[in-house]
Each structure stands twice: as structure tokens, then as C-alpha cells.
Amino acid sequence: MLTALEEGVKGGKWFSLIDKVASVRVLRSSFERVKRNRGAPGVDHVTIERFEGHLKEELERLSESLLSESYRPQAIRRVWIEKPGGHEKRPLGIPTVRDRVVQGALRLLLEPIFEVEFAETSFGFRPQRSGHDALRLVVEHLDSEYTWVVDADLRRFFDTMDHEVLMTRLQERVSDGRVLSLIEAFLHQEVMEGLERWTPEAGSPQGAVLSPLLSNVFLDPLDHLLARKGFAMVRYADDFVVLCRSRAEAERALREVRGWVEEVGLVLHPEKTRIVDATLEGGFDFLGYHFERGRSWPSKKSLRRFKATIRRQTKRTNGYSLEAILSVVSCRSRGWYQYFRYSPGRTFLDLDGWIRMRLRSILRKRYHGRGRGRGRDHQRWPNAFFAKRGLFCLLTAYEQAGRPSWR
């Protein structure tokens, strides 16, 4: 298969893939990925640990059912989770472990087939590419005076992807009817929410292993269309911006985007889609960062989400030991810093002070005080007190790393 990927296949289409999807070796490799990603059980209540307890038998049973075409996906369990930095919620689909394993096997086989043709401006859920890569390209365009930005938002993209359009895209490269039927079966999986069940007519649930790849297959033609038209686009899954040199160019780009989106049955969010001059106050958000007047820092939503997490971990009624609290807070802060390390030092200085205030408030209550940590609490529990006990300091990490910059 690797040789064929390098040299191409006859007619540009792939036949006879089901035997590879059904290979016990491929299914085992897929399970290892499912295990690393952890995740909750689906409607059958089978956990990853329970599935692994009978792994050989489970994989052999899956392989046989795939080859005999008797395999049928189970319903997806739907839950609602809060959107980052807001009060809105979005649906998350949780397939069963067995279905995640089969979807993972499909992804292992299909991803390299489509990856070779994906546009260079696409970064989401692709091998050797990250959100930082996408953000760095945005900065490069802004530095090159592409400062008029089409800040686009696809309304409920994962719920509204047209199945017929998607299957047509897949059929351009895959001709194995059993593989295509298997993908269609996953697209039409029943959704179970509480005691209700229904079959979706469009979309691919967020949380399904195949959904990221399918989203890239669906949106890849838009990437190539804008590239042919000479526009600088940067996309991460369904989140994208188009950077232009003038407002007129940005308006043309938005017309191209809107025309393509309407053609494939998607909808641009009327309130969240806009044209922005990044050299002026206001700017735009992309992948958690805010860009404005040649600078970037965490967006308001990113800061609200981080603070909400720290608040939950630092309630004054928290009964855990200070060391345990510091460990949890440090773990969260360290992960947040790794993503937002390209922000200005002031961001970290302010957050460090706010976090220590939350911790002093806990200590103040434990010593029968009221209110937030303030005043003489700074002398009673100075910054060094927390540093000595292992609290991760955002500003220290930033300075020790040489004040990281996109440029």
C-alpha cells in the first residue's frame, strides 16, 4: 500500500480495502489508539478495560463480521458538553468501544489515501500538523500585510454535512463497495439521548473516530478552490480564516466562500462571519488566540475557560491538602502555558497573581478568615511560599524559555 501511495494506483481509485480494514493486526493497532485516547463506554456499557480483557476474541469476532458483511454499528450515546469559554453546549457522540475500533481501522487505511491530496493550508487532525502550525502561518500572513481577514464560522458543521456530497467525495478515491457501505452505516448510526432514539439525516457526530477525517475530506475542495483563486486561507477542521491585502479582496473571498458553502448545503453563521481589519482595535479570534494590531494573546473565551477550571479547583471549601491542590492547579497551568506560551509576559504575570490570590483565599479561610486573600496575606504567604511547594509559575516558565515568539 505504501508503494502504491508513492507511485499512484490505476485510475486513481482504491479497490479491495475491506480485507485490510478487517485485518486483526490493523484492528489491534486501532484498539491501541482507542485505549490511549481513553473515553467513556457507549450504549452497551462496555469499558475499554472490559473489552481488553477479551481482546483476542473481540478482535477476531470483529474481523469475521466485517468480512462476512454482518457487522452493524450500535447506536451512539449523545451527551452535551459546554462550549469553551461560554454557556452554550454542543452535542458529543460516544460510540461503543467496538465501533471506535472499527472506525479507527477505517481511518488508518483511508487517511493516507486522502492525506496525499489535502491542501497545505489545512492543519486540523492531520499527521505531523498542529494548531501552532496553523497559528504560525496566520502570523506570517499578517506580517506580510494580509491584514484584512474573513473570519468565517460554519454553523453546526458537524451536524449538517451532507451525506450525499461526502460519499461522492469518498467515491472519487475509494471503489470498494463494502468499505463505502461501512462508512454509510456509521453515518446513519442511530443516536440515543436518554430514552429517545433517532437516525440522523446529515452530519457526522463529534466524538466519532472517523469524523475528523470526514470533515477534512468534505472541506478539502474549499481549500483548493480558494488557493486557485489566489486567497491565503488557513483552516483547522471547520474553523478557518482567509487573509487578504484589501477589503475589496476580502469581500471577493467571502463571496467565493459563501457560494461554495451554499452549493454543498452548509450555512455561514450570519452573526459570527465577518470581515475584519486586523490593524485596528477589535481584531479576530482563531484557535484560542486573539489577533490585533500586530500582537496576539489568549482570547477572552480562552481566559474565561481557564479561570473557570482554576475556580473549580480552588474553592475555599476545598478539603484537600494544599499540596494536592497545588499539584492539580500546576498540572492545569502547565498544559495551558504550553499552548499559550506565545502570549506577552503581562498575560502570565496577571494570571499568576490571580491564581495565588485564589490559593491565599483557601489558606485565609482555613485560618478562620473571611473573604479573598489580600493585604497582609501577601506577607503571610508570599510568592516564594507557593514556589517552594511546587506551584507552577507561568511567568517563570515564559522567561526561562526565552520569551517565546511566533517570529
Side-chain angles (χ1 to χ4, degrees):
M1 185 175 182
L2 290 172
T3 302
L5 283 168
E6 291 177 3
E7 299 178 357
V9 291
K10 187 176 181 180
K13 291 191 176 184
W14 290 77
F15 300 84
S16 302
L17 289 173
I18 192 65
D19 59 316
K20 299 174 181 64
V21 174
S23 162
V24 172
R25 185 165 62 91
V26 172
L27 291 170
R28 185 181 296 275
S29 179
S30 174
F31 171 76
E32 292 302 325
R33 294 188 178 198
V34 170
K35 182 180 177 180
R36 285 198 300 271
N37 292 333
R38 296 178 290 183
V43 295
D44 61 358
H45 306 292
V46 175
T47 63
I48 292 173
E49 293 75 20
R50 181 176 164 188
F51 189 92
E52 188 176 23
H54 305 278
L55 186 60
K56 185 174 184 294
E57 297 88 341
E58 292 282 6
L59 296 183
E60 288 177 350
R61 192 179 300 121
L62 279 178
S63 177
E64 291 171 5
S65 64
L66 287 168
L67 291 172
S68 64
E69 300 183 58
S70 61
Y71 174 85
R72 297 292 182 273
Q74 294 175 275
I76 285 179
R77 181 165 67 90
R78 171 174 278 193
V79 297
W80 291 83
I81 61 174
E82 288 187 4
K83 285 187 175 182
H87 300 292
E88 296 181 39
K89 293 188 176 183
R90 64 177 175 87
L92 180 69
I94 304 177
T96 61
V97 175
R98 66 191 287 273
D99 287 344
R100 299 209 293 270
V101 170
V102 174
Q103 286 195 31
L106 276 170
R107 182 172 177 175
L108 282 170
L109 269 296
L110 295 176
E111 190 170 65
I113 292 173
F114 290 95
E115 178 64 29
V116 294
E117 295 185 353
F118 283 160
E120 287 298 310
T121 53
S122 164
F123 294 88
F125 309 110
R126 294 182 59 189
Q128 311 302 318
R129 287 169 171 255
S130 69
H132 278 168
D133 295 328
L135 290 162
R136 194 169 286 108
L137 183 56
V138 168
V139 172
E140 289 177 8
H141 286 314
L142 290 171
D143 287 346
S144 300
E145 299 185 0
Y146 287 78
T147 54
W148 283 91
V149 181
V150 178
D151 183 10
D153 185 277
L154 292 172
R155 194 171 196 173
R156 298 177 59 239
F157 168 71
F158 281 95
D159 293 332
T160 58
M161 268 195 297
D162 186 286
H163 289 168
E164 186 176 344
V165 172
L166 176 60
M167 292 307 300
T168 299
R169 301 263 190 267
L170 293 168
Q171 290 164 11
E172 290 173 0
R173 289 291 171 265
V174 177
S175 290
D176 188 321
R178 288 181 292 178
V179 166
L180 293 170
S181 295
L182 185 57
I183 295 171
E184 282 196 280
F186 280 122
L187 291 174
H188 293 100
Q189 273 179 283
E190 277 191 318
V191 176
M192 183 174 181
E193 185 176 354
L195 298 177
E196 294 185 16
R197 284 177 177 251
W198 73 92
T199 301
E201 297 181 359
S204 181
Q206 287 181 276
V209 178
L210 262 181
S211 291
L213 174 62
L214 297 181
S215 71
N216 280 331
V217 170
F218 194 98
L219 291 173
D220 184 60
L222 176 61
D223 301 340
H224 289 289
L225 170 66
L226 293 181
R228 287 196 304 273
K229 298 287 184 177
F231 297 115
M233 178 188 188
V234 182
R235 182 174 67 82
Y236 192 97
D238 61 324
D239 196 359
F240 66 91
V241 289
V242 187
L243 299 102
C244 307
R245 289 183 179 272
S246 67
R247 182 176 187 89
E249 185 181 338
E251 289 173 348
R252 289 198 302 274
L254 181 54
R255 285 195 295 271
E256 291 288 347
V257 171
R258 182 171 280 118
W260 186 89
V261 163
E262 292 175 354
E263 184 180 332
V264 298
L266 298 176
V267 177
L268 285 174
H269 198 294
E271 297 173 3
K272 296 180 180 179
T273 299
R274 60 202 182 111
I275 293 175
V276 178
D277 182 353
T279 65
L280 301 179
E281 185 177 355
F284 67 97
D285 295 346
F286 185 59
L287 300 184
Y289 275 84
H290 179 77
F291 295 88
E292 180 183 322
R293 293 175 287 183
R295 296 180 296 148
S296 62
W297 58 82
S299 68
K300 290 181 179 178
K301 284 186 177 181
S302 299
L303 287 171
R304 281 201 300 268
R305 186 184 186 190
F306 177 66
K307 285 189 171 184
T309 300
I310 299 299
R311 283 193 184 96
R312 288 194 297 269
Q313 298 166 345
T314 56
K315 292 181 179 180
R316 277 173 281 188
T317 54
N318 192 319
Y320 287 97
S321 68
L322 181 62
E323 287 71 22
I325 296 171
L326 292 179
S327 176
V328 172
V329 170
S330 293
C331 181
R332 177 60 183 164
S333 298
R334 188 176 288 108
W336 191 87
Y337 167 77
Q338 283 302 314
Y339 188 76
F340 289 103
R341 63 184 181 271
Y342 299 108
S343 305
R346 184 75 201 187
T347 299
F348 306 123
L349 178 66
D350 292 345
L351 281 175
D352 281 332
W354 180 81
I355 291 170
R356 285 191 290 262
M357 178 275 292
R358 299 283 305 178
L359 296 170
R360 289 186 182 105
S361 298
I362 294 174
L363 293 171
R364 185 183 179 93
K365 181 173 178 60
R366 290 182 180 182
Y367 282 87
H368 309 293
R370 294 182 178 181
R372 298 189 308 171
R374 62 184 185 275
R376 295 185 62 184
D377 295 336
H378 289 263
Q379 287 75 48
R380 194 175 187 183
W381 300 294
N383 296 355
F385 171 86
F386 298 106
K388 185 177 180 180
R389 284 158 179 77
L391 177 65
F392 179 80
C393 179
L394 297 162
L395 184 61
T396 299
Y398 173 74
E399 291 177 340
Q400 289 179 345
R403 298 176 176 265
S405 169
W406 297 114
R407 297 166 181 84

